[in-house]
Amino acid sequence: MRTLIRAALVLVLLLSPATAAEALRGVALVVGESDYTALPRLDNPKRDARAMDDLLDELGFDVTRVLDADADKLRDEIADFVDDAAGADVALVYYSGHGVEVGGRNYLLPVDTDLSSPQAAGASLVAVDDLLGALARTVPVTIVLLDACRTDAFPAGQLVTLPGEAAPLTVSGPGLGTMRGPTPVAAPGVPADSLGMVIGFAASPGQPALDGPPGGNSPYAAALLKHFAAGGYSFADVMTMVSEEVYLKTSARQLPWVNSSLRRVLNFGAAVADADDADRRAIREGRRQLLLTIATAPDATRRYVETVAASEQVPLDALYGMLSVLGVDTSGGSAQLERQLLDGARQIREFQERAPGAVVQDAELLRLAGLADEAQQEGAIALALQFREQATARARELSGERDRLEDQLKADRLEIAATYGEHAETAALNFDYQTAAKMFGEAYDEVRRWDDEAALHYKWNEAQALKNDGDLRGLNGPLDAAVAGYTEALALAPRATRPAEWAGLKNNLGNAYLALAERSGDGATLQQAIDAFHAALEVSARDTAPEDWAMTQNNLGIALVDLSYRETGRETLDAAVAAFHAALAVRTRATLPLDWATTQNNLGIALKVLGDRTGDLTLTRAAIDAFRQALEVNSRARMPLDWAMLQSNLGNALSVLGKAEPDSDALEQALAAYEAALTEYRRERTPLDWAMAEINRAVAMRALGARDGDINRIGAAADIYQEVLASLDRAAAPQIWAMTQNNLAVALSDIANGLSYPEAAEAMVAAFRAALEIYTPEANPAEWLSAETGLANGLVTLAFLKGEDPAILGEAVAEHRVALARVDAAAQPRAFALLHQSMALALDALADRTGDAGMLDEAIASATIGRDIFVAEGEDPAGFEGWIGGMKARRAALKP
């Protein structure tokens, strides 16, 4: 047990910064009421009172302890205590038991509280403010700690007639009411030199306090016992630590509350020393610093941490400790690291669920592992990593020694590997995935010749750490190593004998391939990801492993959407939608809300792309509905960055709907959605997300300008594209850079045509050409065709603005032929017709300049193709007829 060196008194009162600390004389009254006769019995108050008695005695207080007192005894003991407090500097009262609020006043309930009548009940009550007033008139500093209201003390509807009152009152619900106590200046009879009072409540006003586990202490008493003797802290800091300790240990169900009217700073001195070693003192101090940091966290941060802890079923302590490791200033918010925190919570859960490691026999390893476990439990994760590093150093010493002991080699190797693995796990909690992968790899090397089960565990975790490292640092090397690691692990988990592990590894392998494909744009790697997900689904079944099956369906859907961008049909997109719907059959809003919202977002993306490709606005509306449903769960307060992503995706779908239905307000809604996203996306914090939201905002602005004939709004959109291009690194984000160039060219086309402005047309052509430096028909068929068509049409516009320049017209004709060679006339008849119409214009003008009969024949043929398609599509060909007739008349005048 921890031994304490008795001190005269550890409380000191700091009169001013320049005044030396003054030792105080303290008296304490400790009350524990458990064995009630007419009220629900409480298990722990007597135990709490005994423990507080011991603690306060060790701190130097003269303690009076009262257990299971009836009303008369409790009042007598209080009166005696007030008399004894005369001449003391500090009086402390700790009460553990039932308490109620009646008529706006708080009362303690002795064990013989009588409910036989309202008058009897009222006569039983012991008023808290009477005690406070008496102490305020007697002693300069009063501290009252009320660990009360553990349950509804009185039956529902119980009436109480207070002494001296005629009408009965109804007892309020669980919890005591707000009180501050007499202030030194204003209260009658309070001496002028009184320094005030501190009233600590085990729970917030009107809320019940938990009694704690049988045989233990209440959460409030346990926190007081843990931190009340903290030396070197102000009393305000001590009470803050107590409050946050209860908040953590009750998973946010109970938060103590303090009222203080002190006129001076009350500090604990360093008079109490203990026999704990330096390591445990470091853990304890790490815990206390974490508690003080948590107290500064804004409400939004607390709500997010509590949401993640509840969703992933992990302790609050560890999540707040991870925030500290990440270097997040919780007083300023931590939205930029939400996803890392969620991933970290899931790692904690995985580590909690892992199979027990080998039994450790080395005393030093046992000691260091125990310290690391204790530090992790206390939220001191960075300190836990230091202990794991020390354990690994010790394990390496053991490794050299055990090489010489063949008879114990296997057991020793397993023990060493377990130490390396624990080091790796703690490194992962600190987002040090490089160290985690290295240590899992060393653990694998220790056991691979001795234990296949352990070898699979460590190799799998090594691969996962490499995948996480590649994601976090944006590097392909760790992802390639992860692919190799998963492949090696698959050899240790044959499909025939270990189907569940084999399917899980295939899913993870698919994720590694998918990350590589998204970075490189390599279609073959993307297909490897899809094949891996399909293979996992051949084994993983919804009825036996529903969450794993749903996760793989979701991952497959993501990969299929990526693949669809390389195609022009809808088959792959239909398969992606089906995969997301399959995942949502398990990931329901009620059971897995965060995963449900993620899949809803993915489904919305697939539906939006499918609607774009088919022109089916029903799909676009379904995408809008999916995004809006996801926003109901991923609110801005809970998950700001996910909320911003959903707002941006919603804007994309609304923008499509607005362009198709110009009479609706969908474009205005899209613009509002993008602007909402940009309240969280910042150029300096999330540069690529910011760029995409700005690009999409400009698309909506340009569409609104085109709809309303507002050339200024189109110009504003072009300015946004230019601003984004000035911030983008082409090498780092080539696809986004090319898309921005293409969109800028479209806006410049509107300006050039609307204002007959050749400089805008020249800039438009340059922007289309820049986009085509990135887009290729093989890798980006849809994007390439859009930019190529835009370039061909833009050259026609430029040529006419420059007096039908023959050289530019010739370029236009050449680019039209390139585009037409790639258009599927059956699948995209209108695009095919528009290209022929535009090329016919260029050929007609060029033939008029050159008198080339063959060129005029080609112009007539292209115009005729365009006319026939428009007729087949149900459009009026009148304009074509006059134009084609005029070209034929000119052709007849030319020589054969």
Side-chain angles (χ1 to χ4, degrees):
M1 292 181 60
R2 184 166 65 100
T3 59
L4 295 170
I5 301 172
R6 176 74 180 269
L9 189 62
V10 300
L11 291 174
V12 295
L13 187 67
L14 299 184
L15 300 176
S16 70
T19 304
E22 174 186 345
L24 303 181
R25 173 175 171 264
V27 294
L29 173 65
V30 176
V31 180
E33 303 279 62
S34 288
D35 296 326
Y36 286 89
T37 57
L39 300 179
R41 187 187 184 281
L42 297 175
D43 182 66
N44 291 329
K46 286 195 293 187
R47 190 176 298 104
D48 296 340
R50 291 188 182 101
M52 285 298 296
D53 181 353
D54 292 342
L55 173 65
L56 293 172
D57 181 66
E58 289 162 350
L59 289 175
F61 283 87
D62 294 328
V63 183
T64 300
R65 184 171 73 193
V66 180
L67 301 178
D68 288 333
D70 59 21
D72 291 338
K73 181 180 179 182
L74 183 58
R75 291 190 180 99
D76 290 341
E77 292 287 354
I78 289 174
D80 291 342
F81 176 72
V82 172
D83 291 339
D84 292 342
D89 299 293
V90 178
L92 186 150
V93 177
Y94 171 79
Y95 175 81
S96 179
H98 280 305
V100 295
E101 178 187 358
V102 182
R105 299 179 67 192
N106 293 320
Y107 296 88
L108 309 180
L109 303 184
V111 294
D112 67 338
T113 298
D114 187 356
L115 302 184
S116 61
S117 70
Q119 291 76 15
S124 302
L125 304 180
V126 177
V128 175
D129 49 7
D130 289 347
L131 168 63
L132 299 179
L135 289 174
R137 291 187 291 272
T138 304
V139 66
V141 177
T142 301
I143 300 170
V144 178
L145 305 174
L146 299 175
D147 193 0
C149 305
R150 315 231 178 147
T151 63
D152 285 321
F154 288 167
Q158 174 70 44
L159 297 178
V160 174
T161 301
L162 297 174
E165 300 289 339
L169 299 173
T170 302
V171 178
S172 302
L176 295 178
T178 304
M179 60 166 52
R180 183 171 295 278
T183 59
V185 177
V190 176
D193 62 349
S194 173
L195 298 175
M197 181 174 294
V198 177
I199 309 172
F201 298 84
S204 299
Q207 298 298 317
L210 303 176
D211 192 37
N217 296 112
S218 76
Y220 190 60
L224 288 168
L225 294 169
K226 187 172 183 177
H227 298 295
F228 207 76
Y233 292 92
S234 72
F235 188 69
D237 281 348
V238 170
M239 295 309 293
T240 296
M241 288 186 268
V242 169
S243 294
E244 298 302 335
E245 183 74 29
V246 174
Y247 162 79
L248 293 180
K249 290 304 182 186
T250 62
S251 299
R253 290 179 294 161
Q254 179 178 333
L255 180 62
W257 186 66
V258 177
N259 255 344
S260 175
S261 61
L262 284 177
R263 301 168 63 198
R264 294 291 188 271
V265 177
L266 193 64
N267 273 54
F268 277 102
V272 174
D274 59 48
D276 281 356
D277 60 26
D279 291 328
R280 285 201 162 76
R281 285 198 297 272
I283 293 172
R284 187 168 59 248
E285 286 305 303
R287 175 68 168 192
R288 288 170 177 167
Q289 290 303 312
L290 177 65
L291 295 173
L292 294 174
T293 300
I294 293 172
T296 67
D299 290 341
T301 300
R302 283 181 180 261
R303 285 195 300 272
Y304 179 71
V305 173
E306 291 164 11
T307 296
V308 173
S311 172
E312 300 304 319
Q313 298 180 345
V314 297
L316 285 171
D317 317 52
L319 291 185
Y320 278 114
M322 293 179 78
L323 280 179
S324 177
V325 167
L326 289 167
V328 175
D329 177 7
T330 54
S331 64
S334 58
Q336 70 271 31
L337 294 175
E338 289 168 355
R339 183 52 55 186
Q340 286 177 287
L341 186 61
L342 183 58
D343 289 343
R346 288 173 174 170
Q347 290 177 51
I348 293 172
R349 186 181 65 186
E350 291 173 6
F351 296 157
Q352 289 174 336
E353 296 171 351
R354 74 181 192 269
V359 176
V360 178
Q361 298 175 345
D362 181 80
E364 181 63 1
L365 286 182
L366 277 170
R367 186 185 75 84
L368 291 169
L371 288 169
D373 288 341
E374 183 179 347
Q376 285 180 213
Q377 291 167 4
E378 292 292 287
I381 296 178
L383 185 59
L385 181 60
Q386 295 179 22
F387 291 132
R388 298 296 187 200
E389 289 169 346
Q390 294 175 35
T392 287
R394 172 59 179 163
R396 289 197 173 106
E397 294 176 7
L398 292 175
S399 178
E401 295 171 7
R402 296 304 189 266
D403 284 341
R404 297 184 294 273
L405 302 172
E406 291 295 335
D407 56 337
Q408 296 185 4
L409 186 56
K410 179 177 179 179
D412 292 341
R413 294 296 187 191
L414 291 173
E415 180 176 305
I416 293 162
T419 301
Y420 292 164
E422 289 166 352
H423 183 176
E425 290 169 359
T426 302
L429 294 181
N430 284 268
F431 300 96
D432 182 1
Y433 294 120
Q434 290 176 275
T435 297
K438 178 177 181 294
M439 298 315 305
F440 278 130
E442 289 193 29
Y444 168 77
D445 288 338
E446 291 289 340
V447 303
R448 60 191 174 88
R449 289 175 293 170
W450 307 101
D451 190 307
D452 289 344
E453 184 80 18
L456 172 61
H457 169 77
Y458 293 128
K459 179 54 68 175
W460 191 333
N461 280 281
E462 178 192 9
Q464 189 61 36
L466 288 164
K467 165 67 166 54
N468 291 338
D469 185 38
D471 288 341
L472 185 65
R473 297 195 293 145
L475 299 175
N476 288 352
L479 292 176
D480 288 328
V483 168
Y486 287 130
T487 303
E488 191 171 350
L490 281 165
L492 298 169
R495 174 173 176 171
T497 58
R498 308 195 67 164
E501 290 88 347
W502 186 88
L505 284 164
K506 277 290 186 180
N507 175 78
N508 290 5
L509 177 61
N511 282 333
Y513 279 134
L514 182 58
L516 282 168
E518 288 174 346
R519 297 257 182 84
S520 66
D522 180 54
T525 304
L526 179 58
Q527 188 59 53
Q528 287 178 297
I530 293 170
D531 292 343
F533 293 136
H534 277 304
L537 289 170
E538 290 175 3
V539 173
S540 181
R542 175 179 171 180
D543 56 343
T544 57
E547 291 189 24
D548 291 343
W549 179 85
M551 175 181 63
T552 304
Q553 290 282 8
N554 182 73
N555 294 342
L556 173 62
I558 294 170
L560 289 170
V561 171
D562 283 356
L563 180 62
S564 74
Y565 294 136
R566 295 167 168 80
E567 302 172 347
T568 57
R570 64 173 291 168
E571 182 178 350
T572 299
L573 282 168
D574 285 332
V577 169
F580 292 135
H581 278 303
L584 288 169
V586 173
R587 290 180 160 186
T588 68
R589 181 170 178 169
T591 59
L592 297 166
L594 296 180
D595 291 334
W596 174 87
T598 296
T599 304
Q600 278 288 116
N601 174 66
N602 294 338
L603 173 62
I605 293 170
L607 289 169
K608 189 265 180 187
V609 176
L610 188 55
D612 293 347
R613 190 157 297 177
T614 62
D616 185 348
L617 293 181
T618 303
L619 294 169
T620 306
R621 291 189 181 92
I624 292 170
D625 183 60
F627 294 134
R628 283 177 170 158
Q629 287 188 57
L631 280 166
E632 293 173 4
V633 171
N634 280 352
S635 65
R636 182 177 184 179
R638 292 175 66 183
M639 303 184 74
L641 291 184
D642 283 359
W643 174 85
M645 174 191 67
L646 279 163
Q647 289 285 4
S648 190
N649 290 343
L650 174 61
N652 293 343
L654 286 166
S655 185
V656 172
L657 185 62
K659 292 172 188 175
E661 296 180 346
D663 294 335
S664 73
D665 64 350
L667 282 174
E668 286 83 358
Q669 292 181 42
L671 197 59
Y674 294 134
E675 289 169 350
L678 286 165
T679 62
E680 289 296 338
Y681 288 152
R682 295 284 189 274
R683 185 188 327 212
E684 65 280 0
R685 186 175 67 180
T686 54
L688 288 183
D689 291 330
W690 168 84
M692 287 303 304
E694 284 286 19
I695 292 165
N696 292 333
R697 182 167 74 100
V699 170
M701 288 179 66
R702 180 256 166 190
L704 281 168
R707 184 193 71 182
D708 300 336
D710 186 348
I711 202 71
N712 290 327
R713 179 166 262 177
I714 296 172
D719 290 342
I720 292 173
Y721 293 133
Q722 295 281 19
E723 182 184 3
V724 171
L725 285 169
S727 300
L728 278 178
D729 181 348
R730 171 177 168 170
Q735 298 295 319
I736 297 175
W737 184 88
M739 177 181 64
T740 309
Q741 290 284 5
N742 188 77
N743 290 348
L744 172 62
V746 173
L748 290 169
S749 175
D750 291 342
I751 296 170
N753 285 298
L755 300 177
S756 299
Y757 189 26
E759 287 81 0
E762 288 174 341
M764 165 190 63
V765 168
F768 277 131
R769 290 193 190 280
L772 288 166
E773 293 173 7
I774 303 297
Y775 290 151
T776 66
E778 294 75 25
N780 320 92
E783 291 83 356
W784 174 87
L785 183 58
S786 174
E788 183 63 33
T789 301
L791 175 61
N793 293 333
L795 285 167
V796 174
T797 298
L798 179 61
F800 277 97
L801 288 176
K802 289 203 165 189
E804 299 184 9
D805 185 310
I808 301 175
L809 286 169
E811 287 184 72
V813 170
E815 297 296 347
H816 275 88
R817 287 175 175 152
V818 171
L820 282 166
R822 293 279 181 173
V823 176
D824 185 341
Q828 300 166 281
R830 185 170 179 80
F832 191 72
L834 287 171
L835 273 169
H836 270 293
Q837 179 187 13
S838 178
M839 186 168 73
L841 286 171
L843 288 165
D844 183 14
L846 199 54
D848 190 47
R849 282 297 189 97
T850 63
D852 187 326
M855 193 169 290
L856 191 54
D857 286 336
E858 190 176 356
I860 293 168
S862 281
T864 302
I865 290 171
R867 179 201 64 191
D868 292 345
I869 292 175
F870 285 127
V871 169
E873 293 289 312
E875 297 190 28
D876 184 3
F880 274 98
E881 295 297 350
W883 176 31
I884 293 171
M887 286 192 291
K888 286 182 176 179
R890 285 170 37 223
R891 176 65 181 88
L894 294 174
K895 293 181 180 181

